[in-house]
Amino acid sequence: MRHIKGCCLIIIFSLLLTGCAGVEKVKSVAKEKSPSNMKITIDSFNMNEKENLLISKTGVGHIEFFKLNGILNEDADLQFSVEVYEDGKFKEELLKTWDELGTKYKDSFVSFGISDTGNKAHSLKLISGIPSGLASTTYSNNMTSFSFSKLIGEKVTLKKNKPIYLAAWAGTTKNGLSSVGGENGELPEGIKDTELAFLYKVVWTDKAKK
């Protein structure tokens, strides 16, 4: 009888240990999928002289590169787009892309470039380089001079649903052009004084449900 009781106690003890291990495993998996553990950073990439020379042979007039690093879970997504401002006011959003294929980023490049197409309509070609590919469009304008600049100076950590502005193109038909710049990815104050501007941005969001 004592032998039977001893075996029963061993079996019960083993089941308790197995149950505890299962609970800890579930907690561990939940922790890995928890949004609080997700982190994505984006940093400016400065090209060297040779890289600048190679880019100059592609026909892209102006371009800036950035590097993504970090991990998102399967329910998260990165959206890229170009916001258009006319006379200091938001007009529309171009080149919007979402549903990125990957969730892990290791020095993944993104970019924003712009070129004059050289046609009579004075069209500009906007180019958005994203981790999964490339998107482009044209935009007609009558600007006579412009500026092109980065909007982040150091590494920036993305926060959910908060846009990070990476680069800006601003044009004018006047003699002077107000500066549109920034260091931390915020919407530039100078945007309100522009005749025409394109802002390249990234947003960490929830993945759209299909």
Side-chain angles (χ1 to χ4, degrees):
M1 181 66 70
R2 289 181 179 177
H3 180 69
I4 294 174
K5 287 182 178 179
C7 289
C8 289
L9 287 173
I10 292 172
I11 292 171
I12 292 170
F13 186 64
S14 298
L15 290 173
L16 287 172
L17 287 177
T18 303
C20 290
V23 170
E24 289 300 321
K25 186 175 181 181
V26 170
K27 287 182 178 179
S28 177
V29 171
K31 186 176 181 181
E32 287 178 2
K33 291 187 176 182
S34 172
S36 63
N37 287 326
M38 295 187 293
K39 182 179 180 180
I40 291 289
T41 63
I42 191 160
D43 197 7
S44 175
F45 176 77
N46 297 313
M47 292 183 291
N48 59 36
E49 184 177 350
K50 185 176 181 179
E51 289 165 338
N52 274 309
L53 179 60
L54 290 173
I55 291 296
S56 70
K57 305 300 181 182
T58 66
V60 178
H62 303 275
I63 192 167
E64 294 289 356
F65 290 89
F66 306 88
K67 293 189 298 181
L68 280 171
N69 283 284
I71 298 175
L72 296 177
N73 68 23
E74 295 179 355
D75 297 326
D77 194 17
L78 292 179
Q79 293 184 1
F80 297 87
S81 65
V82 177
E83 289 186 351
V84 182
Y85 287 78
E86 288 190 356
D87 296 323
K89 297 180 180 180
F90 174 80
K91 180 185 179 184
E92 60 183 320
E93 199 169 20
L94 303 175
L95 299 177
K96 187 171 183 177
T97 58
W98 61 92
D99 199 18
E100 278 294 309
L101 300 178
T103 57
K104 297 182 180 180
Y105 302 95
K106 176 65 175 176
D107 289 340
S108 300
F109 280 99
V110 298
S111 63
F112 177 53
I114 194 162
S115 292
D116 188 340
T117 61
N119 60 27
K120 294 181 179 180
H122 300 290
S123 293
L124 293 171
K125 184 176 183 180
L126 312 180
I127 305 167
S128 171
I130 57 177
S132 58
L134 188 71
S136 65
T137 190
T138 56
Y139 195 95
S140 297
N141 75 104
N142 61 344
M143 301 297 106
T144 54
S145 60
F146 66 90
S147 66
F148 188 73
S149 57
K150 294 180 182 179
L151 297 178
I152 61 171
E154 299 179 350
K155 185 181 293 183
V156 175
T157 300
L158 273 65
K159 296 182 179 179
K160 195 171 182 181
N161 297 321
K162 179 183 178 182
I164 295 295
Y165 295 91
L166 303 175
W169 181 98
T172 185
T173 57
K174 303 174 183 177
N175 294 327
L177 180 63
S178 300
S179 175
V180 177
E183 289 291 325
N184 57 3
E186 298 285 346
L187 182 67
E189 284 288 334
I191 201 72
K192 61 188 177 186
D193 299 319
T194 59
E195 290 182 70
L196 175 64
F198 304 112
L199 298 182
Y200 182 53
K201 75 173 185 180
V202 57
V203 187
W204 165 20
T205 69
D206 289 325
K207 189 176 288 289
K209 295 182 179 180
K210 297 180 180 180

